[in-house]
């Protein structure tokens, strides 16, 4: 009794993700296009392709402060193999670290569905959801950031979505939530990168449980870079304190 | 006493991998370009960009047979979080699974250096190395494949390197090794995908210890796709036997 | 601003888990006693000490079939370091693999509390809970086993609890559930090792979230043994099929 | 074609590690005895049993400073499941963290073998090895400690070995190395806990590659305790700095 997979067709001299010969993808499709193909079964449009690249780029690294980086560097300080360093960093990702993507997707998808079913405007639905969360003392995930008052990644993702014609009801609803916070709250709560990725993935048609999928794929290269840097620059077994680090690379340049 | 990092400059409303504002990278650079930037400190040329995409695409998935997939699916069958599924798969990657990239890089780099220092031709150096390995009973990693007699990924990588003008002495040396095997051996030993990636990374200027870095980044999306498929299609706690699976997706189509 | 720990006092030439000098524990306490001490802050009584040993012994290994073993062996087949092999096996442990301990603890603790609050007999409360679960189509975790119709580990744990005078209301309630299944159901559902461990830990006063703690500690030595055996006996990169294995050690002997 | 295992015989209502019915082990053998049984195929003597307990106790926890604890707490701060927290901590264990056990075993075993083959005294062989290491600028692993000038765990292990009649040539050789350091060096280099465990395991007849096996098993309960404490006492996503912690448990008491 065989079990079944739809992902990649393998045979002698044949490797075909979703049925596409890999030698045709290589050199023609971008890496992110093949990720999209594996997840959806189809190749992205040119706009989707650029948008997925921007989403994956947005979370590739956040310096030394995130717990994923700290876990990876702690294992790298012990000179375990690169795969162990990356695995430890990935293990921090879940409900809390990165989890706001999925939670914000669920919030936005429920609100979009409510607006659709009731015929009410996004602003009205968002205002109700924000009021209800406040009454229940629940924090809505995906809004506000410890460090960034205006997260440049979130701003850029939404601008790009509009530029590429890919902004849909979930991005609209995210903006409605930000407006509702501003109307009802004292402290502004702009959307953060997790919330913005969530809105973008929802508008691209991905289900909420794919939130961490994109975050993991996006962050793994950053973790690899930190592990390699740790092994090259620092002595074995040092205690890694993320609050003590200093950036010594080139300063901010325009693109 | 601060410790130092050259990777990403972080401050309020500032996220700049290698000093480049992330909002400028997003929408302009491809995900693989930002991976290249994080690793090297510079953005790739257009040719390098397409080449890195092909390298990362080449190992994204190999169906259900590899141990990385099996470890990921076994954890996914237990319904552990996606990050745990991916971490377990990554932990298979090392000296054996994927390790031929680094080992082949070291072989080719030593041979290229020997040719340079001695002024001998690549073919002569390769013939000597193949003869010596045979006499010592050592298997040279990166050549031959259990399933593929002509690995379409390796063929495509070398063709693309030449098309893009990026083929250098390590790809030339890899071809010289294949020729030496054919002259000296009974059984043909074409280069496999690991060996081909190793030759390409060496010609791009990466050090051998980056071999697994590329393999991990390339394979993680495939592992994510297998974890998601396992959770969607199969019952919890099933025993995953990679030899019993059947591909049921679309059949091979031309690109 | 220091953060605080109650676990182990460390200073020059001073290592004191829960304040006990480690040199006094070594040679006097058993390993399992120090585990108990770390978790509870006190040393176990002689009866508790033997009981904890039995609990930890019960799940130390279950041959090649469990997913934890399969994940560990798959990584060991790739010759990753022992720590990577063990980590991959541990990652299978959670809601599904081992999770019945915690779930059964919650079921039994709720039923014991209900009996206490209402003054009803264990048998009556258990019968109600079993009936309700049946009506709602919910499976009660901790009862029934794929392979064992009478799990020798569960039988032994409950007998030992009584012999040592440590059986309390949760073991009594577990028996009441088994009786209720027999009265109401067609198929007998004896308690399995997970359920029995859950009842024992609850009677020892541990909270439900410690269920997986004991399972992980118990299983890690088994995973180590499988990783070591895999590396010694089998060739690298083999595909591990848990259904194809044969036990070749000494046959069953009386203790 | 079946593959083979010598570890545990499994069948309906039959679970027998190394052929011993588990219900006979439970209540009679200590957890550490069953670990010894799984690893060696035989049950330990009473002396060996107490000694293995002391070895496993010696490394169960070292407060918040080790990288294993830091990795586990960093993942626990992200509220990943207990198994992910433990896995990340285990991944720090290898060549550097804990690796001195295996390295010291190899040093001592080579020296004992050299003494046996040459008929020279332990002191003479040790003096030669220490001199040679000094000349080559190699540090001998297993001697000296960052924090402890006289490691109470090492002292206790050797005293206990002698008390139990289990001290053999490797413990004798370890003492000879310490004497050689004192004679030749300016700074005293007492044996540390890793070196002492290595000498004890070698005298018990274990091969060097089992060094990390014992360290992992010993440390896992400590990692579990730290993960549980982190989740109970600290807020999600905090940055864990091991240098800022304060022990607030009971103060040092005599055993």
């Amino acid at each position: 009794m065989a079990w079944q997979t739809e992902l990649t067709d393998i045979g002698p001299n044949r490797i075909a993700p979703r049925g596409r010969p890999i030698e045709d993808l290589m050199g023609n499709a971008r890496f992110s296009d093949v990720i999209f193909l594996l997840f959806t079964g189809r190749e992205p449009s040119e706009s989707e392709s650029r948008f997925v690249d921007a989403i994956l780029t947005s979370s590739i690294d956040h310096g030394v402060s995130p717990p994923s980086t700290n876990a990876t560097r702690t294992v790298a300080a012990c000179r375990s193999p690169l795969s162990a360093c990356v695995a430890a960093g990935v293990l921090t990702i879940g409900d809390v670290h990165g989890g706001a993507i999925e939670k914000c997707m669920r919030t936005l998808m429920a609100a979009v569905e409510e607006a659709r079913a009731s015929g009410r405007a996004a602003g009205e639905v968002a205002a109700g959801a924000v009021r209800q969360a406040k009454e229940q003392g629940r924090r809505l995930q995906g809004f506000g950031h410890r460090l960034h008052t205006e997260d440049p990644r979130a701003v850029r993702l939404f601008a790009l979505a509009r530029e590429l014609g890919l902004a849909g009801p979930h991005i609209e609803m995210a903006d409605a939530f930000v407006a509702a916070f501003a109307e009802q709250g004292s402290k502004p709560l702009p959307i953060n990168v997790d919330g913005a990725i969530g809105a973008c993935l929802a508008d691209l048609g991905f289900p909420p449980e794919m939130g961490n999928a994109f975050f993991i794929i996006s962050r793994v290269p950053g973790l690899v870079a930190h592990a390699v840097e740790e092994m090259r620059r620092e002595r074995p077994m040092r205690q890694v304190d993320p609050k003590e680090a200093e950036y010594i690379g080139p300063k901010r340049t325009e693109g």
Side-chain angles (χ1 to χ4, degrees), chain A residues 39-50:
Chain A
F39 286 176
T40 65
R42 68 174 178 86
E43 284 168 87
S45 69
E46 176 58 28
S47 296
E48 288 168 331
S49 171
R50 282 187 59 205

Side-chain angles (χ1 to χ4, degrees), chain A residues 51-251:
Chain A
F51 196 40
V52 169
D53 267 314
I55 291 170
L56 290 172
T57 294
S58 68
S59 294
I60 194 169
D61 192 36
H62 196 270
V64 300
S65 60
S68 47
T69 311
N70 198 32
T72 286
R73 280 195 175 259
T74 298
V75 178
C78 297
R79 300 298 184 263
S80 292
L82 184 59
S83 57
C85 303
V86 172
V90 167
L91 288 172
T92 62
I93 298 175
D95 270 5
V96 174
H97 186 22
I101 302 175
E102 177 175 336
K103 285 173 193 159
C104 191
M105 282 176 93
R106 292 193 190 279
T107 303
L108 297 176
M109 289 167 87
V112 165
E113 175 54 25
E114 190 187 326
R116 197 200 54 76
S118 67
R120 288 192 290 149
E124 197 183 332
V125 171
V130 166
R131 198 174 307 116
Q132 196 184 29
K134 198 185 258 181
E135 283 163 14
Q136 299 172 349
R138 271 188 304 114
R139 215 184 135 250
L140 285 169
Q141 302 279 316
F143 300 90
H145 195 281
R146 181 180 50 78
L147 180 63
H148 307 300
T149 52
E150 191 184 68
D151 194 316
R153 302 165 294 182
V155 173
R156 181 70 175 123
L157 276 180
F158 280 12
L160 199 61
R162 288 183 169 115
E163 190 184 318
L164 295 168
L166 292 170
H170 301 92
I171 288 178
E172 184 198 353
M173 185 60 79
D175 282 340
F177 270 77
V178 171
F181 284 124
E183 276 159 35
Q184 296 177 37
S186 40
K187 184 178 129 190
L189 275 178
I191 199 156
N192 60 33
V193 70
D194 289 339
I197 292 175
C200 295
L201 292 178
D203 275 344
L204 281 169
F206 286 100
E209 63 268 25
M210 292 300 285
N212 270 156
F214 278 87
F215 185 56
I216 290 169
I217 292 169
S218 172
R219 183 55 55 94
V220 159
L223 298 178
V224 167
H226 280 284
V228 170
E229 190 184 56
E230 177 72 27
M231 297 201 212
R232 281 191 192 151
R233 295 184 67 101
E234 305 291 337
R235 62 177 171 70
M237 281 292 276
R238 77 170 182 121
Q239 289 185 313
V240 182
D241 179 352
K243 295 185 301 301
E244 279 173 358
E246 175 193 15
Y247 174 73
I248 58 158
K251 285 297 166 189

